[in-house]
Amino acid sequence: MTQFLTLLVGGIVAGGLYSLLATGLTLTYSTSGIFNFGHGAIAFTSAFLYYQLHTGQHWPILPAAAVAILVFAPLLGFILDKLIFHPLADADEVTKIIASVGVLIALPAIAYFVVQILVNDVHLSIPTGAQLFLPPGVGPTPPDHFSIGGGATVSSDQLIVLGSAVVAALLLWLLLRHTQTGRRIRATVDRRNLAAMRGVDPARSSSMGWMIGAFLAGLVGVVGAPVFNNLSAGTYTLILFISAAAAVAGRLRSIPIAFVAGIALGVLQNLVGGYASFAQSIPGFSSAVPGVAMLAILIVLGRDKFRIAGSAVVQRVQVDHTRDLPPWRRAAPWAVATVLLVIYVVWIGSEFWVGVVTEGLAFGLIFLSFTVVTGLGGMVSLAQAGFVTLSSLLFGVLLADGLPMFPAILLAIAASAVCGVLVALPALRVNGLSLALATFAVALVGDAVLFQWQNMAGPSNQGWKIPRPSIGPVHLSNMPTLAIFLLVIVFLVSLLVRNIGRSPTGRAVVAVRASEAAAISSGISPLRTKLALFGISAAIAGFGGVMLSIYFGGATNGATPATSGLIWLATVVLFGIRRPAGAIVAGLITALSPAIINGGFHFSFLPSFLSWNGTKSQWIPQILFGLGAIQMARYPQGSFALFAEGRYERRQKRKAAQAAKAATAAQAATAAAAAAPSSPAVAGAGGGGVPAAAALGDRAARTVVPLPAPPSVSGPVPDDAVLVLRDIDAGYGDVEVLHGVTLALARGSVVALVGANGAGKSTLCSVICGQVRQQGGTVTFAGRDISNSPTYRRARNGVVVAPESRGIFPGLTVTENLGVWLNKDTEVEQVFERFPSLAARRHLAAGNLSGGEQQMLALGAMLVRPPDVLVVDEPTLGLAPMVVRGVLDVIGELRSRGVAIFVVEEKARDVLSVADTVAIMSRGRLTWVGDSADVTSTLMEAAYLGS
């Protein structure tokens, strides 16, 4: 019983810390769409600041804890959101991951670097915090112990953790459930765009979410430091990934489930370690429980619930900015760079620097695996470090068993490929972030269990010695020879990767990446494509692992931990994940940058002032790399693509200038020919003559006059119009949907917009509310130009939209839905008096209401607090005839109260009964605007049948 109570209490304490971190992860992901891999770094930095204030500056516990938890952590969360994550809200998953990985790397390094400066340069007498064990918490030191019966005890540090978790959970529950700020945060979590249409500032909600999440991380960092037994960034990072399993259990949306799952995970981990007899014989199994749990949860719960049929391509196609250059111009810079590298390795470089280049080439080979799986396939794999470790250790095992070198290399690569296929199995059910977390969970389990086995880890867990082989007269023990050998291998593998992208397999990969439904309809198997892609990628990573172990002369299970995969991915993105050349350069920079930054560079053939002694700070490389990853996350094509784009733009400007000059010359020649009408020909070489048009070329001889597009009909603009749309052009990217739309709404009137599906009606609604910014024209409300106003500000000023998919928040109760728009409880009760059926369901989640009740809920709040303009998109969609009548009655009541109403309907018959004005839209243009009484069947046929 004593053992059980001890394990239970320890599990609850650890689970409390996991719960707080999981809650913060869930909150920040829900409000911003970003899974913050740097969440643990925020916890560490807050704990590090507390340690410096309390131990270094001898502040009392309470002021030091208050500054670290209540001031520093929330402020850090606010800064990270505003400067880094908010601009990436609409970015793809890889971009978001790279930005948060940059935070993970840079924050701890900045903390250590600042302390280093204060100690070395400012001569401040504070501890460095390096290798700190048993850090102080907010309780007594040493901690007090209390008996809880049965021989079990609990420490004061554990009680503080439990108390902090309970208090934080209670305060968070009160904030989210019983305050207007909390309702708005949850509304943003539920439906971000709809929240903006109800006057909620999503950016403010996101900042609040990041501040609360950072506060929870800071709380975990400070009160959990003595429980973790050391103060290091790596410890907090590992705790973060344990907490991530709890956040995933709540689907990264449910805070209560994430909190409970964190407690359960801590208890499960302790009980497995204490009671599972089979686990005691498996090294590291207890620490692998969170990874196994995360993998199981992702496979069961992580499947995308949205339909794949009819889905659009969400990733932009990469533009090749060298497409206008001949092949030799594209290859020339890389050929020159390769020749210079060979010259340096063979004749110039010292043994040390040639070794660094060799290591970089091995990393370049590993990084080519990211080009395959992520650059080509669009799938984020964080298991590449696991493949590298597996192949290198297995290579050592096979050599130790007496297998010849080359069969051992082939078997190690094959094992990595098989492991890659096994890791790809979750990819058949999950995508995006879920896939990234699933692959990382596999890598964590490999680190904790598989690579700890003595048969894999080597004698006394010291790894395996690997001699450098000889290939006939070629001895790889010679460093320049090994470098040239690796350069040839990297070149051949890069050709393989390039050819994969251009092969039928590559085209199948692109098709599956763009749309699985379309790929299936074309006879392409997504299953076979994904498995092949992961297998090839893992084989390349395994090959790189083997070559890296040959370079180092050995293989250990700690050389490339799972967390290395995060840094590697960020490095490749920094230079270009879709380009083999970017991966190779990223590998070279990975090896060269620490050596150059720390050791500097000195060349005997250069003047001394061109040499550099480097910096002795070990944190500078991490800071620079982390900040670089954050910055390049805004341009995920990589620095090479950015450079190529700049050169492409300069070439286009030169070509435009040359074309303008040629056009001027052609105009001058045409004018000269017109001045001499008696001359039928223009003098040519040798005194001959050719027709003037022929002299100017075929383009001058043929004049193409495009047919003008039919103009958009302009609706009337009355003097008392409250909302006016003038000459609106709008669309999505380069696709223009609306063309010159002019329309106005007067107070107390209903304008009905009808037309066939795809006519552009919903796009016009999005322009009115600000979700789609117009490319031309203006939107005027109450005499003020609101064309550049954000959606939430338009809603606050009185322009409200009820979108097509029901204007409700499914995860909020009926009462909470009303509270997002209505500020007072008395106003909420007025809605319940008007709609008794809603009152009976006031505590029910709005997503469980019928379609008619959901529409009443969306429009009912407008009856109590009417806006100036109400835009209703497809209000009768999917409703029974009796319910439709009720919706139209509400629209009529709002009109009688002076609301200008814009109703968009595909089914015109119902809405004509309440409309004053009818506008017909076809192909993004208004084709008819007039009184509803003038609408005829001929007009309706024209609107829907195109006659």
Side-chain angles (χ1 to χ4, degrees):
M1 186 63 180
T2 301
Q3 182 185 10
F4 174 77
L5 286 176
T6 302
L7 292 173
L8 181 64
V9 171
I12 293 175
V13 169
L17 297 172
Y18 302 157
S19 296
L20 291 177
L21 280 179
T23 298
L25 280 172
T26 302
L27 194 59
T28 52
Y29 181 82
S30 299
T31 54
S32 65
I34 293 175
F35 184 88
N36 184 18
F37 284 91
H39 200 62
I42 298 175
F44 163 77
T45 309
S46 302
F48 192 71
L49 174 63
Y50 170 76
Y51 169 73
Q52 293 296 340
L53 294 176
H54 177 51
T55 303
Q57 294 296 299
H58 309 293
W59 282 28
I61 289 176
L62 290 181
V67 169
I69 299 173
L70 300 178
V71 179
F72 172 78
L75 181 61
L76 181 59
F78 178 82
I79 293 173
L80 291 176
D81 176 55
K82 288 299 182 184
L83 297 185
I84 300 174
F85 295 119
H86 180 67
L88 300 177
D90 298 323
D92 58 32
E93 208 67 64
V94 175
T95 301
K96 296 175 181 178
I97 289 174
I98 296 312
S100 64
V101 169
V103 172
L104 166 68
I105 298 167
L107 266 186
I110 291 174
Y112 282 123
F113 182 64
V114 169
V115 170
Q116 189 177 66
I117 291 177
L118 293 176
V119 171
N120 296 337
D121 299 336
V122 185
H123 306 292
L124 195 63
S125 180
I126 58 175
T128 62
Q131 301 295 323
L132 176 62
F133 298 96
L134 299 177
V138 295
T141 303
D144 297 329
H145 289 80
F146 308 94
S147 174
I148 58 175
T153 61
V154 60
S155 69
S156 56
D157 290 331
Q158 291 177 319
L159 289 176
I160 290 172
V161 169
L162 290 175
S164 300
V166 171
V167 171
L170 180 61
L171 292 176
L172 187 60
W173 178 79
L174 291 173
L175 172 68
L176 296 179
R177 292 286 180 177
H178 296 281
T179 67
Q180 183 76 359
T181 299
R183 281 194 294 270
R184 289 178 174 175
I185 290 176
R186 292 173 57 219
T188 304
V189 171
D190 218 39
R191 292 181 65 183
R192 186 182 184 89
N193 288 340
L194 179 61
M197 296 177 191
R198 293 296 177 268
V200 178
D201 183 358
R204 185 173 182 272
S205 295
S206 176
S207 295
M208 287 294 297
W210 276 90
M211 291 173 70
I212 296 171
F215 157 75
L216 294 173
L219 180 64
V220 169
V222 173
V223 304
V227 177
F228 299 150
N229 291 327
N230 70 77
L231 186 60
S232 69
T235 298
Y236 282 91
T237 300
L238 291 177
I239 297 299
L240 165 73
F241 288 114
I242 297 175
S243 306
V248 167
R251 296 179 180 269
L252 291 171
R253 294 182 65 86
S254 174
I255 290 175
I257 294 179
F259 191 88
V260 173
I263 299 289
L265 194 59
V267 173
L268 177 65
Q269 186 177 19
N270 264 24
L271 293 180
V272 167
Y275 285 109
S277 57
F278 72 92
Q280 296 175 2
S281 60
I282 302 177
F285 184 84
S286 177
S287 57
V289 169
V292 175
M294 181 190 292
L295 187 61
I297 292 168
L298 283 168
I299 293 175
V300 175
L301 302 179
R303 188 175 181 85
D304 189 359
K305 300 297 182 182
F306 296 99
R307 66 190 181 115
I308 60 172
S311 58
V313 180
V314 296
Q315 294 186 351
R316 294 183 179 180
V317 177
Q318 181 185 12
V319 178
D320 183 7
H321 292 103
T322 62
R323 61 187 182 275
D324 60 325
L325 297 176
W328 71 269
R329 283 281 303 277
R330 302 183 195 182
W334 301 108
V336 172
T338 302
V339 171
L340 292 177
L341 183 64
V342 170
I343 293 174
Y344 178 80
V345 165
V346 175
W347 288 288
I348 300 177
S350 65
E351 182 78 8
F352 171 78
W353 286 108
V354 172
V356 172
V357 170
T358 306
E359 180 185 0
L361 290 171
F363 275 117
L365 182 57
I366 294 171
F367 291 173
L368 283 169
S369 67
F370 286 104
T371 303
V372 173
V373 70
T374 304
L376 180 61
M379 296 177 290
V380 181
S381 171
L382 300 180
Q384 305 303 99
F387 302 144
V388 171
T389 304
L390 173 67
S391 63
S392 61
L393 289 178
L394 186 58
F395 181 50
V397 171
L398 295 174
L399 289 180
D401 288 342
L403 197 67
M405 178 73 68
F406 292 103
I409 293 176
L410 294 177
L411 285 177
I413 295 173
S416 294
V418 172
C419 187
V421 172
L422 295 176
V423 170
L425 293 179
L428 308 180
R429 292 184 57 86
V430 297
N431 289 292
L433 175 64
S434 296
L435 173 61
L437 292 175
T439 55
F440 192 73
V442 172
L444 288 176
V445 172
D447 273 1
V449 180
L450 178 61
F451 304 146
Q452 300 302 319
W453 292 353
Q454 185 174 352
N455 291 339
M456 288 290 289
S460 302
N461 207 32
Q462 297 299 312
W464 306 94
K465 291 184 178 180
I466 297 176
R468 293 177 183 170
S470 296
I471 307 173
V474 179
H475 302 288
L476 298 185
S477 57
N478 178 267
M479 192 60 71
T481 303
L482 179 59
I484 299 300
F485 179 75
L486 258 175
L487 181 62
V488 173
I489 290 177
V490 168
F491 175 74
L492 294 177
V493 174
S494 64
L495 285 182
L496 171 66
V497 173
R498 180 172 173 270
N499 289 335
I500 289 175
R502 299 183 177 186
S503 68
T505 300
R507 291 192 290 271
V509 168
V510 173
V512 172
R513 176 178 180 174
S515 173
E516 287 193 24
I520 293 172
S521 66
S522 302
I524 298 173
S525 170
L527 167 64
R528 187 164 54 247
T529 302
K530 289 182 178 181
L531 292 179
L533 208 62
F534 261 89
I536 294 172
S537 171
I540 294 174
F543 195 7
V546 168
M547 298 311 301
L548 197 63
S549 65
I550 290 176
Y551 163 74
F552 284 124
T556 63
N557 56 8
T560 55
T563 51
S564 300
L566 293 168
I567 302 174
W568 293 350
L569 176 62
T571 307
V572 182
V573 170
L574 196 60
F575 293 93
I577 199 165
R578 295 186 179 181
R579 301 169 182 265
I584 297 169
V585 173
L588 289 171
I589 294 298
T590 298
L592 288 169
S593 57
I596 293 176
I597 292 175
N598 292 328
F601 50 84
H602 306 83
F603 298 104
S604 57
F605 54 87
L606 291 178
S608 59
F609 67 86
L610 293 179
S611 299
W612 182 47
N613 293 326
T615 175
K616 301 305 179 183
S617 175
Q618 60 179 314
W619 310 114
I620 292 294
Q622 294 186 37
I623 294 174
L624 293 177
F625 174 76
L627 295 179
I630 292 170
Q631 179 59 33
M632 286 308 300
R634 298 172 184 267
Y635 195 87
Q637 304 300 341
S639 55
F640 285 148
L642 184 62
F643 176 74
E645 182 179 353
R647 297 199 61 183
Y648 174 78
E649 291 176 353
R650 289 193 291 272
R651 288 197 303 271
Q652 294 306 307
K653 288 180 181 179
R654 287 196 300 268
K655 290 179 180 179
Q658 293 171 359
K661 184 177 180 181
T664 302
Q667 290 176 358
T670 302
S678 60
S679 177
V682 176
V690 295
L696 296 177
D698 289 343
R699 288 188 178 181
R702 295 194 302 269
T703 302
V704 179
V705 181
L707 295 176
S712 183
V713 174
S714 297
V717 181
D719 295 335
D720 61 341
V722 64
L723 182 73
V724 180
L725 309 174
R726 293 186 185 275
D727 302 322
I728 296 297
D729 298 326
Y732 306 92
D734 296 331
V735 179
E736 187 174 282
V737 177
L738 302 179
H739 319 285
V741 175
T742 297
L743 198 61
L745 279 76
R747 295 187 184 276
S749 67
V750 176
V751 175
L753 180 66
V754 299
N757 188 28
K761 304 186 301 297
S762 294
T763 301
L764 186 59
C765 293
S766 298
V767 170
I768 294 174
C769 72
Q771 294 286 339
V772 172
R773 191 61 53 87
Q774 70 275 4
Q775 299 164 352
T778 59
V779 180
T780 304
F781 169 69
R784 302 190 308 272
D785 188 351
I786 62 171
S787 302
N788 297 319
S789 295
T791 300
Y792 76 91
R793 197 173 298 281
R794 299 188 192 195
R796 290 179 182 178
N797 290 335
V799 180
V800 176
V801 174
E804 175 184 354
S805 55
R806 305 280 187 264
I808 59 105
F809 302 98
L812 275 63
T813 66
V814 171
T815 302
E816 290 168 341
N817 265 270
L818 296 173
V820 174
W821 177 251
L822 304 176
N823 298 322
K824 300 178 182 178
D825 293 340
T826 55
E827 294 177 339
V828 173
E829 290 301 324
Q830 292 179 41
V831 178
F832 289 149
E833 291 175 5
R834 178 69 168 76
F835 301 102
S837 62
L838 295 180
R841 296 166 173 79
R842 65 174 67 205
H843 301 301
L844 188 68
N848 295 326
L849 299 178
S850 66
E853 290 171 334
Q854 290 181 1
Q855 199 65 281
M856 290 299 105
L857 177 61
L859 298 177
M862 306 303 162
L863 289 173
V864 176
R865 186 184 158 204
D868 294 302
V869 175
L870 177 62
V871 180
V872 190
D873 191 3
E874 302 282 5
T876 66
L877 182 66
L879 301 182
M882 185 176 297
V883 180
V884 169
R885 188 67 260 168
V887 171
L888 297 179
D889 289 343
V890 172
I891 292 175
E893 185 176 343
L894 288 169
R895 174 180 58 182
S896 67
R897 300 175 66 175
V899 179
I901 303 176
F902 187 58
V903 183
V904 175
E905 263 293 355
E906 188 175 336
K907 297 180 295 182
R909 182 183 62 183
D910 296 327
V911 75
L912 289 179
S913 62
V914 296
D916 301 301
T917 302
V918 175
I920 299 176
M921 177 169 278
S922 176
R923 298 181 182 179
R925 290 183 170 86
L926 295 181
T927 58
W928 187 88
V929 179
D931 293 338
S932 59
D934 297 333
V935 176
T936 64
S937 59
T938 303
L939 283 173
M940 291 296 99
E941 289 177 6
Y944 291 95
L945 302 180
S947 59

